[in-house]
Structures are given as C-alpha cells and as structure tokens.
Amino acid sequence: MNDAPKVDEESVPAFVRGVRLHNDEARDQWVLLAPERMLKLDGIAVEILKRVDGELDLGAIVDDLCTTFKAERGQVLTDCSAFLQQLVDRRMVTI
Amino acid sequence: MNAQPVPPPHSLLAELTHRCPLQCPYCSNPLELTKKSSELSTDAWKQVLSQAARLGVIHVHFSGGEPTARKDITELMAHARDAGLYTNLITSGVLMNEGRLDALLDAGLDHLQLSIQDLESPNADRIGGYQGGHEKKLALAREVRARGAALTINAVVHRQNVENVAAIIDLAVELDAGRLEVAHVQYYGWALKNRAALIPTREQLDKATAVVKEAIERLKGKLVIDYVVPDYYARFPKPCMGGWGRVGICVTPSGKALPCHAAETITHLTFDNVQEKSLQDIWQTSQAFQAYRGFDWMEEPCKSCERREVDWGGCRCQAFAFAGRAEATDPACSKSELHGRLHELAETESGQEPPPFEYRRIGAA
C-alpha cells in the first residue's frame, strides 16, 4: 500500500499550488483544475472545496456544512473525509 | 453531418515556435519546421488565447519547439491567465534563469512541465543534442520547487534509456515533482525517422511497465505518475487526442489550426489559419476537424466495434502512414490486418544494433 497521509477531523486541508477551483462558464460547471487534470464537481463537492482555505480543519468544515444544510454530522464527516482523501492521494490537496 | 453544435474543446496546444536549442531525435514536431519569420505575432497569439477561453478551453499548453525561445512568453502567459485559462508551460528549461522563472510565475504560470532526456548527463545530453542541458534542467526543477510551484517531470523513454525508469522515478521524487510523465516515444515525425534507434524490445517494455505500475501505487499522495505506452506492441489502439476534434485543438507556430499536432502528415486535409478565421469557426466547421469527428467516417471493423467510444478509432495519422488511408483501422489495433506487420517491425528493429540518431534540426529533414 502507499504512505499517503490519512484525512481525519483534525486535518487542515489546503490546495496544492497549481490546483484551483474554477467556474467553467461555457459548460455551467464547477471544476477543480490541476496539472493535466480537471475534475468535474457536483454541488456537494463544490460546497466542501469552497471551505478549503488552509486554515479551517475538517471538523470545522463539517460543522459549517451541517449548519448550512441541516445534515447529520456522522454522514457528512464520512463523505467529506472520503472525498478529501481522494484528493490527497492525487496530490491536489495537502493536509 | 453534424446538425448539433460541436461541444467545445477543453485544451489548446499552443506551439509558439519551432525554434529549440535541443535536437531530440523523437521530437513531435513535423519534419518540415517553421522558421522564425513565419511565426505568429504577439497580438495574433493574444487573440487566439482570448478566443480559446471564450470557446470553452480550460487548459492552455504553451509548447514548441521551446516556448521560452519567444521573447513574449511572459506577456502571453499573463494574457492567458487574465482570460481565465489554466496555464501549462512545456519546456526544456535550458533557456530559463531565476529571473525569467519569477516573471513567468508572477504572470500567472500555473504549472511547469520540464523534459529530461535520461537520468544522468552524459547520455541525457547526447540524446538531447545539447551539452550541459541536463544539469540546467535539474537546477531549474529545484528553483521551481523552492518557490512551491507545480512541477511535472516529463521523461520520454525508448531503447536507449528505458532501463533507467526506476531511477528516473526516484529522481522525480527527490526533485519533489508533483507529477511524472513516463512517456514511451510515439512514432511520428522525427521519431518515425529514428524509430530503429528508439523502439524498445518487448522485454524492455514489459519490465518498464511493471516498474511504473508498482511505483504508481507506492507513491500515491507523493507523486502522480502518468504512463504512455508505445502502441506498436499494444492489442488496442490509444484513444488518440481523446477523439478527433473532440477535446483538443492545436495551433502551429504559423497559425494553422490542427486537430492533432501530427495531422499535417495526412496530406489530403486542408487546415484553416487563425489569422483568417476565428477559432470558434474553425472548431465548428473546418474541413480538417470535421473529417474524422464522431463515427460517421468509420469503416468496419471500427464502425460496429464495442470499443469505438473507448479509443475513438485510434490514430488517423498512423492509419494513413501504414495503410495509405486515414479511414483505415489503426494498425495498432489487433483487428487491423496490418497489426502483425507493426509487431514484426517493432521486433525486428529493436533486435538490431541501433543506427545513429538523425537529430532534429531546422532544414535537416
């Protein structure tokens, strides 16, 4: 297996330089841009990534999402962790 | 043929110039290289970049030749970024210094892709035909990472360096690159001319593939590795360009808009020039883009193939080069009657003593 760092509630996610959120107006689609990569984002992913600022930890991001969307915390934490872990594995986000 | 408007392209390959201090014998540029006097002006390139952004292009790849051989590269970079494009500089690095790097990053360079020709200098400099190049590249890689900027190392591999793949991966980790491209040579243009000197043996290929596969998993989170295989040994063709006229557009130093950088080898196609038509117009209506877009052009076995939306019929240039007709099945596909011939060529040529390189030079073809 690999030794990529594992996301947990105390992780503070930040975009790696060269990775940025972009609103693709031609296709009306939010995307995450990276070297030779473009990830199409659904509404939930965009909400998570808009809160990634290199200061908030995942716990705080999840709290904010739960308040905004009146969602159940355990599920939001699981979903956010899994999503951010994928981005960490692809070296788009650091923690 | 296409009643619906064509979905916009995602990427623009901007080949700013064919000038390059290196002379790699596998260069993807055409044999007939454009001279400086025929290059597009700064303003013409700015128009292309603005039009590309409006059309829906996301990534612009500044390439060449060596794109930093253009004095206006920083100005073009800033213009691209202002237009909202994600900017990638594909460079040999040997014309860069810290001042130019800082200027490019200030202008909004998102990502720098640096080529290396081998692991170490004697052989790397011999392959690139440029003394002292390798050391300059390593120094630049360190400067890029010292500034925290995104770096890809691009290693083109072939019979004369492929044994070093494992060590090249280690080098990319040591340089702290975020991404490594291990790309086997694709045989067009100069590479086709030098195929006998470059094509790996089957054994070399299999060994390199195993090394890369293991490293991809081991280095997750540390280094993203993209691997491009040589299709002469493949069972199925590569999804060339992600489909003709589907995701990408290439503009040559003199302004010709191509569906693929090798498309000029298909001699019956007519290419429009960005000085005469808008990129939007070219993308939607140009004969060269329409020719092999979608599936209508396909013959059997491609037409009814279950993989037609996986590999989009493979490579038209390779079909034209081998079968004499661009509509033919890509000979890299096991369903092509020329497939055995491609394997044979690869095995014969890779089993012989490699001939000397014919270096890529303007006027040398």
Side-chain angles (χ1 to χ4, degrees):
Chain A
M1 285 315 290
N2 61 74
D3 21 295
K6 299 291 173 271
V7 174
D8 62 29
E9 234 177 298
E10 275 91 56
S11 306
V12 179
F15 292 117
V16 173
R17 187 161 170 196
V19 175
R20 54 190 166 90
L21 262 179
H22 174 75
N23 186 12
D24 174 4
E25 288 171 9
R27 299 171 189 81
D28 192 21
Q29 164 82 57
W30 279 87
V31 290
L32 187 63
L33 299 180
E36 304 285 334
R37 295 284 191 278
M38 187 193 75
L39 297 188
K40 289 185 188 175
L41 303 170
D42 62 23
I44 299 160
V46 175
E47 290 301 328
I48 298 170
L49 293 181
K50 278 182 175 169
R51 288 163 173 78
V52 167
D53 61 359
E55 289 182 14
L56 288 179
D57 67 18
L58 180 59
I61 291 173
V62 168
D63 289 340
D64 187 26
L65 287 169
C66 290
T67 314
T68 311
F69 298 102
K70 315 223 179 318
E72 193 256 311
R73 193 173 193 283
Q75 191 59 49
V76 175
L77 179 61
T78 308
D79 292 350
C80 286
S81 302
F83 175 60
L84 288 173
Q85 187 66 53
Q86 284 178 29
L87 300 183
V88 169
D89 286 351
R90 301 166 86 162
R91 213 178 134 145
M92 294 179 177
V93 164
T94 54
I95 49 172
Chain B
M1 166 172 126
N2 287 288
Q4 297 285 321
V6 181
H10 281 95
S11 73
L12 167 69
L13 178 65
E15 291 186 335
L16 298 181
T17 178
H18 279 159
R19 288 173 287 141
C20 183
L22 269 65
Q23 310 174 38
C24 304
Y26 46 75
C27 181
S28 64
N29 288 157
L31 295 175
E32 200 171 314
L33 296 162
T34 299
K35 297 198 176 70
K36 185 181 180 186
S37 54
S38 307
E39 289 177 9
L40 290 183
S41 67
T42 306
D43 284 344
W45 273 117
K46 283 183 175 175
Q47 266 196 39
V48 169
L49 294 165
S50 299
Q51 290 175 4
R54 280 202 297 275
L55 179 56
V57 165
I58 306 280
H59 283 96
V60 58
H61 307 280
F62 288 108
S63 180
E66 172 49 52
T68 63
R70 294 260 318 199
K71 290 202 175 71
D72 54 4
I73 181 68
T74 306
E75 196 179 340
L76 295 177
M77 188 68 65
H79 189 87
R81 189 59 195 269
D82 285 348
L85 296 166
Y86 185 97
T87 57
N88 180 20
L89 182 70
I90 300 176
T91 181
S92 69
V94 301
L95 300 180
M96 296 274 268
N97 54 38
E98 289 184 40
R100 283 197 97 184
L101 175 62
D102 284 329
L104 283 164
L105 290 170
D106 287 347
L109 170 61
D110 283 302
H111 168 227
L112 186 143
Q113 178 170 322
L114 177 67
S115 68
I116 57 169
Q117 280 63 39
D118 197 356
L119 177 67
E120 289 170 321
S121 42
N123 204 40
D125 292 349
R126 178 184 70 87
I127 293 166
Y130 185 85
Q131 279 305 310
H134 190 69
E135 289 307 314
K136 283 189 179 178
K137 287 160 184 279
L138 297 186
L140 177 67
R142 295 197 168 96
E143 292 301 334
V144 172
R145 290 305 297 145
R147 288 156 177 77
L151 173 70
T152 287
I153 298 290
N154 173 271
V156 174
V157 294
H158 46 78
R159 180 142 122 256
Q160 302 196 32
N161 67 4
V162 70
E163 311 283 345
N164 290 331
V165 161
I168 287 172
I169 294 169
D170 292 344
L171 175 65
V173 171
E174 187 224 308
L175 293 171
D176 192 31
R179 185 171 164 272
L180 168 68
E181 239 177 65
V182 178
H184 284 272
V185 170
Q186 305 294 309
Y187 295 98
Y188 306 96
W190 293 88
L192 189 59
K193 212 175 165 60
N194 284 291
R195 187 181 61 201
L198 295 167
I199 199 154
T201 63
R202 179 85 215 203
E203 197 190 350
Q204 282 181 316
L205 170 63
D206 290 346
K207 206 173 139 202
T209 303
V211 166
V212 172
K213 266 177 107 171
E214 182 278 328
I216 287 173
E217 181 53 33
R218 174 171 48 90
L219 296 171
K220 261 188 192 170
K222 202 179 192 85
L223 179 71
V224 174
I225 305 178
D226 284 337
Y227 187 53
V228 180
V229 296
D231 53 6
Y232 278 46
Y233 290 113
R235 273 180 63 215
F236 297 114
K238 58 181 174 268
C240 201
M241 296 302 292
W244 187 275
R246 198 173 147 267
V247 291
I249 187 163
C250 169
V251 177
T252 70
S254 60
K256 275 187 261 183
L258 314 180
C260 141
H261 59 267
E264 286 174 282
T265 59
I266 304 178
T267 47
H268 56 80
L269 293 178
T270 318
F271 303 101
D272 289 312
N273 194 296
V274 295
Q275 290 169 296
E276 283 143 26
K277 282 186 181 178
S278 74
L279 217 51
Q280 163 85 23
D281 195 11
I282 293 172
W283 179 255
Q284 294 287 342
T285 65
S286 164
Q287 181 256 344
F289 281 81
Q290 295 287 50
Y292 307 112
R293 187 175 255 155
F295 308 107
D296 290 352
W297 59 271
M298 285 183 177
E299 301 174 351
E300 292 299 349
C302 302
K303 204 175 190 69
S304 60
C305 181
E306 71 284 0
R307 291 178 56 88
R308 69 179 203 173
E309 282 181 64
V310 177
D311 50 40
W312 308 98
C315 172
R316 295 306 91 225
C317 302
Q318 194 149 268
F320 184 77
F322 276 82
R325 289 184 324 110
E327 297 80 7
T329 303
D330 182 346
C333 182
S334 50
K335 295 182 182 182
S336 161
E337 53 198 29
L338 294 169
H339 187 64
R341 164 114 183 88
L342 208 63
H343 271 251
E344 252 176 59
L345 263 174
E347 272 164 20
T348 310
E349 289 184 356
S350 66
Q352 292 166 351
E353 193 62 27
F357 289 142
E358 286 191 62
Y359 283 101
R360 175 245 201 237
R361 290 187 187 114
I362 290 183

